[in-house]
Amino acid sequence: MIWHNLTHLDLSNNQVNKIDSSIFTLAPNLQYLDLSCNNLGQDFISKDTFTSKNGSNLVHLDLSNNPKIGRIKYKIRSLVNLKTLLLSNTGIDDLEFLTGDLVELKLLDCSNCNFSEYQMIERLSVLENLQEVRFFNNSIECNQYDYWVFRGQKN
C-alpha cells in the first residue's frame, strides 16, 4: 500500500526505535515527520534512510526528546527541501551528519544536547541559508581565539 496523499505523519510519543527508507517509499509526498518522544537510539536510521531521493519532499523533521540518540552516523543528503530540523533533548554532540545538500534548512534546534566544544559548531558553515540556530543549555566552551574567529576577526 502506498499513501500518495499523505503529507503529515505524527508518530510522537510511541515506542518507535528505528526508521528506514521504506517510510518514504510508502509516503513519497511526506512533508512533515514527527518522531519526537520515542525510543530512537544510536542506530535509529539505516545507511540509506536519508540518501538518494528518500525524503526529498520533507520540510519538517522532529527528532526531539529522544535522549538515546547520541550521534547520527550517516550524512543527511536527500533532505534538500528540509526547512526545520528539531534535535533538542537528544544526546547529540556532533554535527558531522550535516551536509551542504540541506540548502533550504532555516531552523536547527540543538537545545539541551551534549555539545561541549565550540569546534563542533563550525559544521554549521555548510548550511548557507540557515537563519536560526538554538544551542540553549549546552556546555559549550569558547576560548578567546574561538570568540575572535566566530566574529570573523583575528587577534
Side-chain angles (χ1 to χ4, degrees):
M1 175 177 7
I2 297 178
W3 303 301
H4 287 288
N5 295 325
L6 185 66
T7 58
H8 284 66
L9 180 59
D10 187 339
L11 293 170
S12 63
N13 293 295
N14 284 285
Q15 294 300 311
V16 177
N17 59 20
K18 193 172 273 201
I19 59 169
D20 63 28
S21 59
S22 67
I23 194 167
F24 301 114
T25 303
L26 292 170
N29 294 310
L30 193 62
Q31 296 177 4
Y32 178 97
L33 179 58
D34 187 344
L35 293 163
S36 64
C37 302
N38 272 293
N39 200 25
L40 299 176
Q42 200 71 10
D43 296 318
F44 78 98
I45 59 172
S46 60
K47 188 173 186 175
D48 69 338
T49 303
F50 297 123
T51 58
S52 67
K53 294 186 179 191
N54 295 331
S56 62
N57 292 319
L58 209 60
V59 295
H60 179 95
L61 178 59
D62 188 346
L63 300 172
S64 66
N65 296 299
N66 282 288
K68 293 182 183 177
I69 298 177
R71 190 162 285 193
I72 298 177
K73 291 200 271 187
Y74 304 109
K75 301 225 183 262
I76 296 178
R77 298 192 183 285
S78 65
L79 304 182
V80 296
N81 291 306
L82 191 68
K83 295 181 192 278
T84 303
L85 179 57
L86 305 177
L87 301 169
S88 60
N89 295 303
T90 63
I92 291 176
D93 64 355
D94 189 304
L95 296 173
E96 284 298 312
F97 61 92
L98 297 174
T99 70
D101 298 319
L102 301 174
V103 294
E104 295 295 324
L105 192 64
K106 307 270 190 257
L107 169 63
L108 175 65
D109 186 352
C110 294
S111 302
N112 297 305
C113 291
N114 287 329
F115 291 95
S116 61
E117 296 180 22
Y118 169 78
Q119 289 78 12
M120 296 290 183
I121 300 171
E122 290 176 350
R123 188 74 185 156
L124 297 176
S125 65
V126 303
L127 305 171
E128 294 180 10
N129 293 310
L130 195 61
Q131 294 176 355
E132 184 176 349
V133 181
R134 299 176 188 160
F135 281 104
F136 305 123
N137 205 28
N138 280 280
S139 298
I140 299 170
E141 292 184 22
C142 181
N143 63 36
Q144 186 177 12
Y145 175 76
D146 291 335
Y147 172 76
W148 287 107
V149 170
F150 183 71
R151 291 193 57 204
Q153 303 173 9
K154 290 192 177 183
N155 252 345

